[in-house]
Amino acid sequence: MTDSAQRAGASLERLLEVIGQLREHCPWMGALTHESLAEYLVEECYELLEVLEGTAGADDLRSELGDVLLQVVLHARLQEEQGPFAMADVIDGLTEKMIRRNAHIFMPDGGLRDEFPASVEEIEAAWHSIKRQEQPVDSHPFASIPPGLPALASAAKTLKRARREAGSAPEPAAVVVRSAGAAPASGSVPASGAVPASASVPASEEELGEVLLAVVGRAVDAGLDPERALRLAVRRYQEAHAAP
């Protein structure tokens, strides 16, 4: 074991001890439940994301990583008190998963292989193949996408998953765009009124952000909920293309 791993183990042991004492002697900490902690987990993850995407330094990143770790430790502690498992089981399960899903690096017993010839493409293919084997037989490609994801993140993950599973995903339907209050024209829709899925995308994230912001603005002006609209569109796409 490396010095870094030994230090981390000792630090985690002390953290678990402190959390245990707080659960026993602090009324506020002792009253926490999985349900009451849920909002903090979401909040801490978003704060970490803000640091990762911003210009904050290493101290801020270390602090936010610690806040997310605290949420993991607290949830594990609650389960330890109830009996099903403890923090060590969480860590052991994660270690076993990383070994199992990275067969290009590890042998089944956890030892390193003699050589590592796999390309990035082969690594990704093997990872997803092993992951599929771990899922129920009747599971569809979108089963592991958390339903609580923000709509835009869910849309991106859904399309990536569909393309990976099928080689190419059925494209979302073309979208007809018209001014608020304008009636749809009879017959075929003019070319200028449709945005096909194959249309070119912005060349940068900054440009894409402006396009998305403009779409949200038009939705708000029309009295529509953009988050709900996209979430339902993603759900319809998943239902239509869930067959293995």
Side-chain angles (χ1 to χ4, degrees):
M1 182 182 293
T2 65
D3 291 342
S4 177
Q6 289 180 329
R7 181 187 171 198
S11 297
L12 179 59
E13 184 176 356
R14 176 56 178 154
L15 174 60
L16 295 176
E17 181 181 19
V18 168
I19 295 303
Q21 292 169 339
L22 286 170
R23 284 286 295 171
E24 183 177 354
H25 302 294
C26 173
W28 185 88
M29 188 73 80
L32 291 174
T33 64
H34 288 302
E35 291 75 18
S36 66
L37 278 169
E39 65 174 293
Y40 299 111
L41 176 60
V42 173
E43 179 180 335
E44 297 299 350
C45 286
Y46 274 111
E47 289 183 2
L48 173 58
L49 184 61
E50 182 179 3
V51 169
L52 291 173
E53 294 181 341
T55 58
D59 287 344
D60 291 318
L61 177 57
R62 173 183 52 77
S63 177
E64 294 302 336
L65 287 170
D67 290 341
V68 172
L69 175 60
L70 173 60
Q71 299 303 308
V72 175
V73 170
L74 282 170
H75 283 287
R77 172 68 190 194
L78 290 174
Q79 286 302 110
E80 182 178 0
E81 293 171 2
Q82 297 169 17
F85 61 80
M87 188 66 188
D89 301 302
V90 175
I91 296 172
D92 288 344
L94 175 59
T95 301
E96 293 168 3
K97 180 190 292 185
M98 296 308 295
I99 291 172
R100 185 173 64 251
R101 291 190 180 179
N102 289 280
H104 60 291
I105 300 295
F106 299 103
M107 295 183 290
D109 63 0
L112 284 174
R113 295 190 177 277
D114 295 330
E115 55 184 17
F116 317 108
S119 66
V120 172
E121 291 74 16
E122 291 171 330
I123 291 170
E124 291 180 346
W127 171 282
H128 294 305
S129 175
I130 293 171
K131 187 174 180 180
R132 280 195 298 271
Q133 294 173 20
E134 297 171 353
Q135 295 175 345
V137 176
D138 59 349
S139 178
H140 58 77
F142 313 117
S144 62
I145 297 177
L149 272 182
L152 197 57
S154 181
K157 188 171 286 290
T158 292
L159 294 178
K160 288 179 181 178
R161 185 74 54 83
R163 286 165 183 163
R164 187 182 71 227
E165 296 293 329
S168 62
E171 294 293 344
V175 179
V176 176
V177 181
R178 63 177 185 270
S179 300
S186 58
S188 60
V189 178
S192 59
V195 181
S198 58
S200 61
V201 298
S204 67
E205 286 190 352
E206 182 178 2
E207 185 179 342
L208 175 59
E210 295 298 330
V211 171
L212 292 173
L213 184 60
V215 171
V216 171
R218 294 182 64 181
V220 171
D221 291 342
L224 303 174
D225 181 340
E227 176 74 13
R228 173 180 166 80
L230 181 56
R231 183 171 64 250
L232 294 177
V234 171
R235 188 177 302 167
R236 289 193 298 270
Y237 182 92
Q238 290 180 345
E239 291 172 351
H241 305 293

